[in-house]
Amino acid sequence: MRVLLCVGGGIAAYKACELARLLVKAGSQVRCALTRAAQKFVTPLTFQALTGQPVLTDLFAAEQELAAGHIALADWAEIAVVAPATANLISRLRMGRANDAVTAALLAIPPRRWLIAPAMNEKMWASPAVQENLGILCDRGARVIGPAVGEMAERSHVGPGRLVEPPEIVAAVLRRRDLEGVPVLVTAGPTREALDPVRFLSNPSSGKMGYALAEAARDRGANVTLIAGPTSLPDVRDVRLVHIESAEDLARAVDEHIAQVRVVVMAAAVADQRPARKAAQKVKKTEGKEVLELVRTPDILAGLGARKVHPLLVGFAAETQDVEQNARDKLSRKQLDLIVANDVKDAFGKETNRVVVLAKDGGRAELSGTKIALAHAIWDMVRSRLRA
Ligand code: C5P
């Protein structure tokens, strides 16, 4: 793992030295960048000695930019760890400032690759400004770890604000690759069931949850195949993307890939019915009552569950009432390992969601957050159930 460790200027910066050492010990390649304030607490030389690599401190130092400047480091990094993330650094990141080497490098790294470990006095942590700034960074996809609760540097102060201990931060960094080489199949988006060459039945699924699942799995090292119905989302980098239109196309595409995968996550909002016939030409208005005959589409997931041998199966239950009970019924009826249930009345198209995940083995978790954060939490649950 190539880790860019960005150190902010708080007293917890001394723990960033230990963090650098532990990351190196865990086999990561580590490069460090320090803010000017960080250098009041720890020196670049400390990090250079611990990592064996030059440290970025100055945007305008010609020799630093020549060796590996902020953009080169941003391109190189698979993950950027911001530890300690001070109130000031968090606010600069929220604003997109690029007024030093740390913020300039981070600005060139997508926030979903940031792991932010805040550390500050508990009163500063409680301020609406810090909370709002961090909330926005989360909405952009950043992961946050901590702060931990305990004694502050000012010994009379106790509360949330301590930097999470370095071994825990290392675990969070490494967790990213816990699906290395695991072949997974994710389906996403709506299906379209054609009535004639210009009309179809569909639903408002945006595909965002499925795309987030594909992205999260890719970032954790999985080999991802994403089968997607029509969406307006940009293609996901480094995943095999298969575009489909109808439930039957989806069934066929799943069938083609199923033998090679260990996990199937069916986040697609598959149509349960399709028009019995697709007219060859645009259907004309007729006098009197117009009736549309529908037939059922194959239940792809239930079909997989019924097979004697099948990959780990994750279904979604989009419900408008009795969410958990309906999901529990689906979990057993479709013979799934996990089901992710949500109330769809206000979920379609949004960046965030609130779900309940139920497992065949009795596990249950209530999750809420951005779709990318949910995706990681769902993969955590899948990972712990995957046989070695
Ligand atoms: O029964 P319901 O449609 O609510 O089940 C939802 C789950 O089943 C989702 O994971 C969906 O992708 C999957 N499904 C399917 N084939 C269908 C309908 C739904 O695989 N025809």
Side-chain angles (χ1 to χ4, degrees), residues 2-15:
R2 296 187 302 271
V3 185
L4 176 63
L5 174 58
C6 297
V7 184
I11 179 57
Y14 81 92
K15 291 192 187 170

Side-chain angles (χ1 to χ4, degrees), residues 162-322:
R162 283 170 62 86
L163 184 71
V164 167
E165 291 306 320
E168 245 183 88
I169 300 178
V170 175
V173 170
L174 298 181
R175 191 165 57 100
R176 283 293 226 210
R177 304 299 291 185
D178 61 357
L179 293 171
E180 192 73 64
V182 178
V184 306
L185 177 61
V186 178
T187 70
T191 62
R192 285 180 178 173
E193 310 303 326
L195 286 147
D196 67 21
V198 292
R199 300 187 182 98
F200 55 80
L201 301 179
S202 191
N203 61 68
S205 165
S206 66
K208 283 180 183 165
M209 190 65 232
Y211 274 57
L213 281 155
E215 259 187 66
R218 174 206 62 197
D219 288 347
R220 292 166 78 143
N223 291 335
V224 184
T225 302
L226 173 62
I227 306 178
T231 74
S232 57
L233 301 173
D235 286 358
V236 187
R237 202 171 34 86
D238 296 334
V239 313
R240 193 177 309 115
L241 188 53
V242 180
H243 289 290
I244 54 95
E245 291 264 330
S246 67
E248 274 177 23
D249 295 343
L250 180 58
R252 218 173 300 121
V254 168
D255 219 43
E256 273 169 29
H257 292 91
I258 194 72
Q260 296 102 44
V261 298
R262 290 182 59 199
V263 184
V264 176
V265 183
M266 286 287 283
V270 189
D272 291 320
Q273 298 95 7
R274 64 171 173 83
R277 282 165 294 279
K278 178 184 172 188
Q281 305 301 332
K282 185 178 171 193
V283 176
K284 300 284 179 213
K285 289 186 263 307
T286 53
E287 289 302 316
K289 196 164 151 191
E290 297 189 60
V291 178
L292 177 62
E293 192 191 341
L294 299 175
V295 294
R296 289 294 298 273
T297 55
D299 190 320
I300 304 164
L301 200 49
L304 297 177
R307 294 185 185 192
K308 226 193 267 153
V309 186
H310 57 70
L312 192 140
L313 298 178
V314 184
F316 272 70
E319 305 292 344
T320 53
Q321 57 181 353
D322 300 331

